[in-house]
Amino acid sequence: MRIWGLIAALMCFGGIANAAPIAIVNANFEDQTALDVSHSLGNYNNGAGSIPGWSTNWRNNAGVWAPNAEARATSFSNTGDFDIGHQVAYLNDETGLYQNTGALIKSGAQYTLSALFGNRARLDFGGVFGLYAETADGTITRLVESAIADPGVGLLGAQTLVLYAEMATQFAGQTLGIFFIGENGQVVIDNVLLDENVLVNPIPAAAWLFGTALAGGVFASRRKRKAAAKSSA
């Protein structure tokens, strides 16, 4: 029985995954920003580079929106996820938020990106989020992306996507980045999380062959002993 216990231990050990979060600058968009525009639904800022840790691209406005009492009572009246004054990122039509995490993609690793998304006030809501790889010379490849699901006007919902190990291996050594793109309405973003999962000491093929051969040898030996016992009886 000991040999089967050893093989089972090898199988379990080979499936252990080590998960570690990747640091994202200003992941909750709470860093102080220069609020340079006043709006009836709160203060928010405009322009590229106005959000610490993030860059903006495309056109129109992307920034940080700080819901005040009026905003809490209107756009997000059906959720308790926002406290008064809590800051969230937003994307207007055809705007983007990007961040190069500085983490190098590892061969055989799996990456999971999740965030909280909200529909501030519009029915024509839409956007995408995903992960990209960036080379040393600045070449960017969008690796995986998913449409942002509409949680309903004034509501928030969590979404997750995965960059699987097969594709990660193809871009190993490049820097991993995250992106959000607004396509319609006004997309709200909060609580961005990115995890890296790496297989810890996977069992090599030689070990599996050794274990299988060892198990076969034990089985054959037991059959011979049983046969010998019967013939002597």
Side-chain angles (χ1 to χ4, degrees):
M1 295 299 293
R2 291 180 180 177
I3 181 60
W4 300 115
L6 175 60
I7 293 175
L10 286 172
M11 292 176 66
C12 292
F13 183 73
I16 295 175
N18 179 30
I22 293 176
I24 300 174
V25 179
N26 197 14
N28 295 327
F29 303 97
E30 293 302 314
D31 289 1
Q32 293 297 315
T33 57
L35 300 177
D36 55 15
V37 176
S38 178
H39 190 271
S40 61
L41 292 183
N43 292 323
Y44 62 93
N45 55 27
N46 299 317
S50 61
I51 308 173
W54 298 84
S55 59
T56 61
N57 204 342
W58 296 32
R59 62 185 182 85
N60 296 329
N61 299 324
V64 172
W65 173 49
N68 59 13
E70 182 182 354
R72 177 69 181 275
T74 54
S75 297
F76 286 91
S77 59
N78 297 322
T79 178
D81 289 316
F82 287 160
D83 293 325
I84 294 175
H86 178 66
Q87 295 188 158
V88 293
Y90 72 84
L91 299 171
N92 283 334
D93 301 1
E94 299 185 56
T95 59
L97 284 175
Y98 302 80
Q99 185 171 148
N100 181 318
T101 67
L104 298 182
I105 300 174
K106 294 180 181 178
S107 178
Q110 177 175 292
Y111 297 89
T112 303
L113 173 65
S114 63
L116 200 62
F117 295 101
N119 180 347
R120 180 173 172 184
R122 302 253 313 260
L123 296 176
D124 55 340
F125 174 92
V128 296
F129 72 113
L131 295 169
Y132 68 85
E134 185 171 353
T135 62
D137 64 4
T139 301
I140 289 178
T141 303
R142 282 160 65 164
L143 303 177
V144 60
E145 63 186 69
S146 177
I148 298 173
D150 185 354
V153 175
L155 299 176
L156 288 169
Q159 271 190 260
T160 299
L161 63 73
V162 177
L163 173 63
Y164 290 101
E166 182 178 0
M167 178 169 285
T169 299
Q170 297 177 34
F171 292 87
Q174 296 188 28
T175 306
L176 186 63
I178 57 183
F179 66 87
F180 303 95
I181 298 173
E183 296 176 340
N184 294 292
Q186 191 172 77
V187 179
V188 173
I189 308 165
D190 202 14
N191 297 350
V192 184
L193 300 172
L194 180 58
D195 286 323
E196 176 187 85
N197 297 276
V198 181
L199 193 66
V200 179
N201 296 326
I203 304 303
W208 291 112
L209 292 175
F210 171 75
T212 303
L214 187 59
V218 171
F219 181 71
S221 177
R222 286 181 177 177
R223 291 190 62 182
K224 287 182 180 180
R225 285 200 302 269
K226 288 182 179 179
K230 288 182 178 179
S231 62
S232 61

